Amino acid sequence: MEKWQTKEQLTELLYELVKIPSVSGSQAEKEFPEFVIHKLSELDYFKENPAQLNKVPTEDGRFFISAFVRAQRPIEQTVILFSHFDVVDVQDYGKWKEFAFDPETLTNQFYDEKEKLPKEVLDDLNTGNWLFGRGIMDMKSGLALHLSLIEAACDGRFEGNVLLISIPDEEVNSVGMRAAVPYLLQLKKKYKLEYTAAVNSEPMFSLYPGDRNNYIYTGSIGKVMPGFMCYGKETHVGEPFSGLNGNLMSSFVTAEIELNTDLCDYDEGKAAPPPSNLIQKGLKESYSVQIPHRSVTLFNLFLLERSIEEVTDLLKEKASLAAAKIEVLYREQAERYASATGSAATKHKVRVLTFEELVSYARQNLGEERIQKIVDTLIAQRGEKDDREISIQIVDQLAILCKALAPMIVLFYTPPFYPAVQSHHRPLIQETVTKVQKLAQTNYQTELIEQHYFSGISDLSYIGMPAKRTSMKELTSNTPIWGHGYSIPFDAMEQLSVPVLNLGPIGRDAHQWTERLDADFAFGPLKELLTISVQELLTKKRRSE
């Protein structure tokens, strides 16, 4: 008896998945795999092949799900189905927070309080096709569809092997995916597999406000998180021109980088979104009348074709522009103040350097052993600090020891890092996309526009074909916690390098209280298109050999 093949069955499954509040880092996220494993273990195939259904540990006590279905006759070709089951928190739901993980109740609540909804949300609600709830489109609907595909594989409907991998922590540091990469290599060797393609079903993302186009993606955007430690000079607030305020410095850096389209990466004339600030704060720990002379600002920066070396050069250039503007402002205001008071004007020269250069200076002046001991101690005592916080602390403490370089702006990188990957030039992917586009248009009057990069960031970055092969030394040497609890299995990733495709549901407002899913499309047309995609990726590969 089929479990997850009709719209009604898939909707019921989706409700069950969403009701588990698997927020990244929560206990529910740790427990979620057990629920899915239990569901899959009810299928006859896994009753007969229990060793092919696994809950696999990550480095931090979480687990990812692996469900491997072999074709009825021996074959190497295997399609991997990727999804994530963690979600962001629900603080933004306000009065509806208690219903955020109950799609049926939340959707009914919105029907009862239509006057409180934005117009575009109300328009979707009135169609009767849309369901609301945290994670309903990002991305538990994708997981539900993949479970449906696994059931179909168990029934022998595909001419090849199908492997489901569903992971935690996609929304934060990708711990799950970084653990899955070496596991995939082990599985490949164990069963003598050939991974023909990796299929993700992240939801479609709007390219601009009001965008209602539908997309199919042949790659996934990259991301790096540059930080700037701004170290000025301490002074009493009564003598502000004797020092330099770190908060002032970071504000100039942020103004130089925030939404700066000079920093947009391009793919065949199409721009990635510009950088956005994610953290900006002073590092003064308690109140006093000493100015905050240390501050930090961190950004999200998308990658398409640029190398890390190119990105570093651009960021240093922007930091140098900010430094020059800081010097001009300081000099002009100091001269005005001196003119008004009859005092002597002061001026500062702001230095720009990378974390690697800061470490090199520290080693030369303080010794390798002392620097290593400082970093090891900070790592050992990190407690609940996340990867961004401990990175900031390491740069800050080293900057304090090297204050002779101040005023300075230190460029560094923090986790997570996602390489840009793309497969739009791969014949197998292009042929599959063309067929899916034609079927979507003919059978469902839906245009699926190909995008070379999924813009919502995905874990396909760790398995796909890199957009640009380049050395990662620039990244690793400027990431303070590289090798201290954070690393990326670049060697294993290079061995995998699987072509990627992202075909997912129509949704709106990811990470917002109005997150919603077009259930009619997801559990109707999309289900068929995903089934055809998997079959094409398995059989076209074999026919082309």
Side-chain angles (χ1 to χ4, degrees):
M1 179 180 174
E2 294 181 337
K3 293 168 63 69
W4 307 313
Q5 299 305 314
T6 68
K7 178 187 175 184
E8 291 72 26
Q9 290 172 333
L10 282 165
T11 301
E12 182 179 349
L13 173 63
L14 179 60
Y15 285 171
E16 291 183 283
L17 296 173
V18 173
K19 282 181 179 178
I20 301 173
S22 51
V23 174
S24 304
S26 68
Q27 183 61 31
E29 183 193 28
K30 290 183 179 180
E31 296 170 353
F32 187 94
E34 195 63 49
F35 174 81
V36 176
I37 293 289
H38 173 72
K39 285 284 186 183
L40 287 168
S41 66
E42 295 175 349
L43 300 176
D44 288 342
Y45 180 88
F46 290 115
K47 289 179 181 177
E48 296 169 6
N49 300 277
Q52 290 168 214
L53 179 61
N54 292 285
K55 188 176 74 169
V56 185
T58 66
E59 64 186 26
D60 64 352
R62 285 180 275 192
F63 301 88
F64 66 86
I65 302 158
S66 171
F68 178 49
V69 181
R70 302 205 72 169
Q72 292 181 340
R73 63 186 182 88
I75 198 168
E76 294 179 345
Q77 283 76 20
T78 305
V79 165
I80 312 170
L81 304 176
F82 277 111
S83 63
H84 69 86
F85 54 78
D86 63 317
V87 300
V88 297
D89 66 34
V90 295
Q91 300 304 317
D92 53 332
Y93 277 83
K95 62 178 287 188
W96 294 297
K97 180 179 174 182
E98 64 177 301
F99 308 119
F101 295 110
D102 187 344
E104 192 169 17
T105 300
L106 181 64
T107 303
N108 289 333
Q109 286 278 326
F110 286 163
Y111 273 114
D112 292 340
E113 300 184 73
K114 289 182 176 181
E115 71 281 357
K116 296 181 180 177
L117 301 178
K119 182 182 182 305
E120 62 274 15
V121 179
L122 182 59
D123 289 344
D124 285 341
L125 182 72
N126 285 335
T127 67
N129 300 340
W130 294 75
L131 298 173
F132 293 75
R134 174 60 79 234
I136 200 159
M137 55 88 84
D138 183 17
M139 67 162 293
K140 289 181 177 177
S141 53
L143 172 56
L145 286 161
H146 288 186
L147 291 172
S148 174
L149 292 170
I150 283 292
E151 182 184 28
C154 289
D155 290 339
R157 297 183 207 172
F158 294 117
E159 298 177 40
N161 311 312
V162 181
L163 170 62
L164 178 144
I165 298 289
S166 192
I167 57 175
D169 194 47
E170 189 269 353
E171 300 288 4
V172 185
N173 286 329
S174 291
V175 165
M177 190 60 188
R178 289 187 283 124
V181 169
Y183 172 84
L184 286 168
L185 284 177
Q186 294 169 15
L187 212 62
K188 180 180 181 180
K189 182 178 180 181
K190 178 179 180 180
Y191 292 109
K192 297 180 173 56
L193 305 177
E194 178 187 356
Y195 295 135
T196 62
V199 177
N200 205 344
S201 292
E202 289 274 11
M204 301 175 194
F205 269 60
S206 301
L207 292 181
Y208 50 84
D211 181 15
R212 291 298 180 261
N213 291 315
N214 300 317
Y215 299 103
I216 184 170
Y217 305 91
T218 53
S220 194
I221 201 166
K223 162 183 169 163
V224 68
M225 279 194 68
F228 296 86
M229 173 65 62
C230 298
Y231 196 114
K233 187 176 185 300
E234 65 272 27
T235 188
H236 190 284
V237 292
E239 300 178 297
F241 287 107
S242 295
L244 180 59
N245 195 305
N247 288 345
L248 172 71
M249 297 171 70
S250 62
S251 69
F252 269 82
V253 174
T254 297
E256 196 64 45
I257 292 179
E258 177 74 13
L259 301 179
N260 189 333
T261 54
D262 290 347
L263 292 166
C264 290
D265 204 350
Y266 284 83
D267 165 58
E268 297 185 2
K270 295 181 180 179
S276 293
N277 183 266
L278 293 179
I279 296 174
Q280 181 171 325
K281 61 182 180 179
L283 299 178
K284 187 176 171 181
E285 295 181 357
S286 59
Y287 171 79
S288 75
V289 290
Q290 183 190 65
I291 66 166
H293 62 286
R294 295 158 22 246
S295 68
V296 69
T297 183
L298 268 63
F299 298 87
N300 183 93
L301 180 62
F302 288 118
L303 304 175
L304 297 177
E305 301 291 329
R306 283 182 183 142
S307 67
I308 296 296
E309 289 87 353
E310 292 169 324
V311 169
T312 300
D313 287 343
L314 276 169
L315 292 171
K316 287 175 68 177
E317 177 187 315
K318 297 305 177 187
S320 295
L321 287 173
K325 291 177 180 179
I326 293 166
E327 292 167 5
V328 169
L329 175 73
Y330 187 94
R331 184 180 68 249
E332 289 177 348
Q333 296 303 325
E335 288 173 353
R336 288 179 185 177
Y337 187 74
S339 177
T341 60
S343 59
T346 57
K347 60 182 179 180
H348 286 296
K349 178 68 177 176
V350 180
R351 192 188 311 260
V352 175
L353 64 159
T354 63
F355 177 73
E356 183 179 22
E357 291 168 337
L358 177 68
V359 171
S360 177
Y361 177 90
R363 285 172 176 161
Q364 290 173 16
N365 289 272
L366 301 169
E368 170 73 32
E369 185 176 345
R370 183 178 177 189
I371 297 306
Q372 192 61 51
K373 183 177 180 180
I374 290 168
V375 173
D376 289 345
T377 300
L378 291 172
I379 293 292
Q381 298 176 352
R382 69 181 290 179
E384 297 300 314
K385 294 184 181 71
D386 70 14
D387 286 350
R388 271 98 7 227
E389 292 169 327
I390 188 62
S391 297
I392 291 168
Q393 188 179 32
I394 291 171
V395 184
D396 183 41
Q397 291 302 305
L398 292 183
I400 290 172
L401 292 172
C402 302
K403 62 187 301 180
L405 296 173
M408 60 180 156
I409 299 171
V410 182
L411 167 64
F412 63 101
Y413 294 113
T414 76
F417 169 70
Y418 295 85
V421 296
Q422 51 86 0
S423 300
H424 58 274
H425 295 308
R426 305 280 293 187
L428 174 66
I429 297 298
Q430 269 306 314
E431 290 172 14
T432 302
V433 167
T434 299
K435 180 164 186 174
V436 169
Q437 287 175 318
K438 288 180 179 177
L439 283 172
Q441 188 68 61
T442 301
N443 294 354
Y444 303 108
Q445 294 72 56
T446 298
E447 182 182 14
L448 292 177
I449 301 171
E450 181 188 348
Q451 288 291 317
H452 292 174
Y453 294 94
F454 172 66
S455 59
I457 306 173
S458 82
D459 281 333
L460 289 178
S461 284
Y462 297 107
I463 192 173
M465 304 289 190
K468 187 169 187 177
R469 292 187 182 275
T470 182
S471 168
M472 287 292 112
K473 182 179 182 301
E474 192 77 23
L475 175 78
T476 60
S477 60
N478 285 300
T479 301
I481 64 166
W482 191 268
H484 297 281
Y486 183 80
S487 62
I488 296 173
F490 287 124
D491 290 343
M493 287 163 55
E494 188 169 353
Q495 291 179 59
L496 284 171
S497 290
V498 180
V500 299
L501 179 69
N502 192 102
L503 177 58
I506 298 171
R508 309 259 194 266
D509 298 349
H511 296 193
Q512 300 180 45
W513 65 274
T514 48
E515 178 181 352
R516 57 199 184 277
L517 171 77
D518 183 343
D520 279 6
F521 177 81
F523 300 146
L526 178 59
K527 180 178 179 297
E528 180 189 1
L529 296 174
L530 275 171
T531 301
I532 291 167
S533 296
V534 171
Q535 188 60 31
E536 286 291 298
L537 292 167
L538 288 169
T539 57
K540 275 190 180 296
K541 173 69 175 178
R542 201 163 60 252
R543 289 200 299 268
S544 67
E545 293 177 341

